Amino acid sequence: MNLLLIEDDIELADSLAAGFRDHGHSVVHAADGASGLRLAREPEHQVIVLDRMLPGLDGLSLVRQLRAAGVRTPVIFLTTMSGIDDRVNGLEAGAEDYLVKPFAFVELLARIRVLGRRPADQAVTVLRAGDVELDLLQRTLIRAGRAIELLPQEFRLLEYLMRNANRLVTRAMLLENVWDIHFDPQTSVVESHISRLRAKLNADSAVDPIQTIRGAGYKFLAPS
Amino acid sequence: MRRLRIIHTESFRLAALFAVLFLGLAGVLMGLTYWIVEGTQRAELERVIDADIGTIENGFRGQGIREAVEVVQQRLGSDATNTDWTGEYIYLADGSGKRAGNLDALDEKVGLMWLTRPYRSPSDGARANGTSLDRGTSGRTLRPANRPDAYGRGTVLGKGVALANDVYLFIGRDTATIVATRTRLIHAFGWVTAITLLLAAAGGSVFSMQFLRRVDAIARTCNAIVAGRFNDRIALRGNDDELDRLAGSINLMLDRISELLENLQQVSSDIAHDLRTPLTHLRKRLEDARDKSTTVDHYSTAVTQAVEDTDELLGIFSALLRISQVDAGTRLAAFHELSLSGLLKELCAMYVPVAEDEGKSLQQRLMDGVTMDGDQELLTQLFSNLIENALRHTPSGTQVVVSVTVLPDAVVTTVADSGPGIPEHERAKVLRRFYRLSGSRSSRGYGLGLSLVNSIANLHGASLVLSDNSPGLKATVSFRRGK
């Protein structure tokens, strides 16, 4: 993926850029808001990783100007501002995601990969992966021809996993997108629901499409 | 200095303004009174003069000039001791000159006219004419008579008539009565003015002094707070006047400010003290890794644990910041109507699998369609914390019940468990930051969950009450129902 990293903390930027390259992405780095905005207007970037506090032009204004100019490249904010308002403001300015520093690199990577997916995914009404078929309009799940009953939260969980099939989704991403929970629960909410979903999904099948990535999250495996 | 300050107060200015208004009104009243009284008195004088002229004219018409002269002399009296003189001046003349009267000479004009009172020394006058200027109708000494009055007119009002071709009669009356009335009115007005000004000044000063005293009290309190005595408050009188209400608002503001200040100090000291413990653990672990690890596995384990320690520190940090953010009250602006039933239903659905995995049960007794104004995200965190508390600190087999009930004046939500509960004397303490029950040291958590619940409840004008569920703990959050 082609990434644009706008970050004035050089040490962090170097470390992030090296990490992205290790995972096969190409990175362009800008250290201030003005040059960041200029680079961001170029169409080859697939995801923009943007620091919220920048010298010159701050991240929030940068996103607003970008969106006003019609640039739709997905943006993820990196920020030390963890207030509820800060997140809401960031998303309202036009960013797609918001990650509070410090964060685990694997978390950032997973979010970038999800942001970089084809936008056409959104128009789909039936998600298919192997023998699993999730009808988003009928709210039904069919595996190998057999209908499986899911609770609403289980349905949303599976939908999110399948929309991001073959990509890592972290615990925090699931909490935010399935339950709209923006804090860290002290109990194993995600694990318990995944195990329920697995039990229902795999009741008559030997293949478990939900892969656990230890210490990171889950991945829904879809045969290509 | 103080006297000057009094004059510059609003209440003194108000008193002065009222005094001026009152004086204006009094002046108008006095003027009207004077106008009416003088008019009446003058009309009365003219009537008397006309009657006297009539009497003399009758005498003249009947029996000629001789009779007229007699009537005049009768009227004026010839006796030197005549005490009935009523301030009347008469002048009767025919072709040959003055025939009778107490005026020496006169410009013989017809109609109303003013004359200067002829001067006589009181004794002379009394002797010469049998009249006494001392004996005005008012009984007061008349002013020296040859001086025009304040209006520049004479002091005698009279009327000249031609009784026949060459017979002229003038009858005048002293206007001392009118002058005396006027003098009395002016004196009265003077007194009213003086008393009004005195009362206004005294009243204005008293009010201003009271006002200044109270303003000074407010200023003293504010200065005391500037000087660091944050607990000082302005004393209220309890009469709910404008200054009391102002002072009340200032006190409320001070309460809020000192709350925020306390909150800030609390967070600072929390960070300073309570983050030390996990930092110490982290440091020790890293030191051990450096000094004792011999294999890559050892190092790897130590680093993984150090990352976990760091995450725990960050968790404490976020929780503290979240609490202080909630306590600061800035989230009030984001309140909107939300479905409390829906929120709790979703949370229960979220935690049922967790409960079941731990061999516990989570039940809901929720009324449908309960709505309230609040912050969705914070309320989610509030109930999430309460449910997680009930799940985390209880043994397997525990029942947890989440309920919402609508009362006439409140929406009551409870999270009750059948676990070991919290001893009564510890219930208030667990709301404190970093306070953990002695038995729960081993389980994960920072002792911030209930503090956050308490803060969020306070933000929503609700109270968190922990009570005995016999057995177990019952956490009740009662939201006041909007009017």
Side-chain angles (χ1 to χ4, degrees), chain A residues 82-85 87 102 153 156 175 179-189 191-193 195-196, chain B residues 314 321-322 325 330-331 346-347 349-351 353-354 356-357 377-378 380-381 384 388 392 444-446:
Chain A
S82 59
I84 299 171
D85 289 327
R87 189 187 69 243
Q153 292 185 355
R156 296 206 303 260
L175 284 166
W179 288 282
D180 199 20
I181 297 282
H182 299 272
F183 52 88
D184 188 17
Q186 305 294 303
T187 54
S188 50
V189 174
E191 294 77 358
S192 295
H193 279 270
S195 91
R196 292 289 179 295
Chain B
L314 290 171
L321 286 177
R322 178 61 66 101
Q325 190 191 11
T330 51
R331 292 298 298 166
E346 276 288 305
L347 271 181
M350 178 172 154
Y351 283 108
V354 180
E356 284 173 0
D357 282 358
E377 187 165 339
L378 291 179
T380 302
Q381 179 142 36
S384 171
E388 291 196 332
R392 284 169 54 220
R444 204 178 151 214
Y446 328 121

Side-chain angles (χ1 to χ4, degrees), chain B residues 62-352:
Chain B
Q63 292 159 41
I65 188 82
R66 195 178 299 276
E67 176 65 15
V69 169
E70 209 163 293
V71 174
V72 169
Q73 278 162 356
Q74 260 173 19
R75 287 204 62 83
L76 293 175
S78 47
D79 191 350
T81 57
N82 181 9
T83 54
D84 297 334
W85 188 66
T86 53
E88 186 169 33
Y89 293 94
I90 304 177
Y91 175 79
L92 182 66
D94 62 3
S96 57
K98 176 180 171 181
R99 293 294 301 268
N102 51 0
L103 290 170
D104 293 338
L106 198 67
D107 190 9
E108 293 179 15
K109 275 192 294 192
V110 174
L112 275 178
M113 60 173 127
W114 288 88
L115 296 182
T116 307
R117 186 187 299 134
Y119 176 77
R120 295 179 185 88
S121 85
S123 50
D124 281 357
R127 260 199 305 280
N129 291 38
T131 61
S132 168
L133 287 177
D134 279 349
R135 299 175 184 275
T137 44
S138 67
R140 287 185 174 206
T141 307
L142 293 174
R143 289 183 298 173
N146 59 346
R147 223 169 53 201
D149 73 356
Y151 296 89
R153 299 180 303 208
T155 48
V156 173
L157 177 64
K159 198 174 187 180
V161 285
L163 294 181
N165 230 355
D166 56 351
V167 182
Y168 177 80
L169 173 67
F170 172 86
I171 294 187
R173 286 273 174 164
D174 199 292
T175 54
T177 341
I178 298 177
V179 172
T181 308
R182 186 158 68 214
T183 311
R184 258 175 289 164
L185 272 173
I186 288 169
H187 284 174
F189 183 62
W191 280 111
V192 167
T193 306
I195 291 171
T196 305
L197 287 179
L198 204 73
L199 283 179
S205 299
V206 169
F207 285 134
S208 306
M209 234 140 71
Q210 284 178 341
F211 181 80
L212 276 182
R213 243 202 307 278
R214 298 182 61 193
V215 170
D216 283 347
I218 295 176
R220 261 199 310 280
T221 309
C222 293
N223 289 335
I225 285 161
V226 169
R229 304 212 312 264
F230 295 108
N231 291 323
D232 276 22
R233 292 292 178 272
I234 302 161
L236 298 186
R237 286 177 143 198
N239 56 1
D240 203 32
D241 64 3
E242 65 272 26
L243 275 179
D244 241 26
R245 272 179 285 142
L246 176 68
S249 296
I250 293 177
N251 282 346
L252 276 182
M253 183 182 76
L254 291 174
D255 287 346
R256 183 82 185 110
I257 290 174
S258 67
E259 237 175 71
L260 290 177
L261 208 69
E262 246 167 65
N263 177 32
L264 193 69
Q265 285 167 345
Q266 174 80 45
V267 172
S268 317
S269 78
D270 286 348
I271 290 175
H273 295 104
D274 292 282
L275 288 187
R276 246 167 231 279
T277 317
L279 274 173
T280 311
H281 292 167
L282 174 61
R283 194 175 192 291
K284 181 79 174 62
R285 210 187 290 288
L286 289 174
E287 243 175 20
D288 284 353
R290 185 190 60 196
D291 299 342
K292 297 178 188 163
S293 294
T294 46
T295 68
V296 173
D297 267 1
H298 271 163
Y299 269 116
S300 175
T301 311
V303 168
T304 305
Q305 284 178 336
V307 169
E308 278 168 16
D309 285 350
T310 315
D311 284 344
E312 187 185 336
L313 272 166
L314 290 171
I316 296 175
F317 214 77
S318 315
L320 278 177
L321 286 177
R322 178 61 66 101
I323 291 174
S324 74
Q325 190 191 11
V326 171
D327 283 350
T330 51
R331 292 298 298 166
L332 277 172
F335 273 28
H336 60 268
E337 191 175 18
L338 53 89
S339 164
L340 192 59
S341 312
L343 188 152
L344 289 171
K345 214 169 275 177
E346 276 288 305
L347 271 181
C348 286
M350 178 172 154
Y351 283 108
V352 162

Side-chain angles (χ1 to χ4, degrees), chain B residues 44-58:
Chain B
E44 175 65 15
L45 269 186
E46 284 175 31
R47 198 188 56 75
V48 169
I49 289 167
D50 281 344
D52 288 350
I53 289 174
T55 312
I56 295 168
E57 194 171 10
N58 277 345

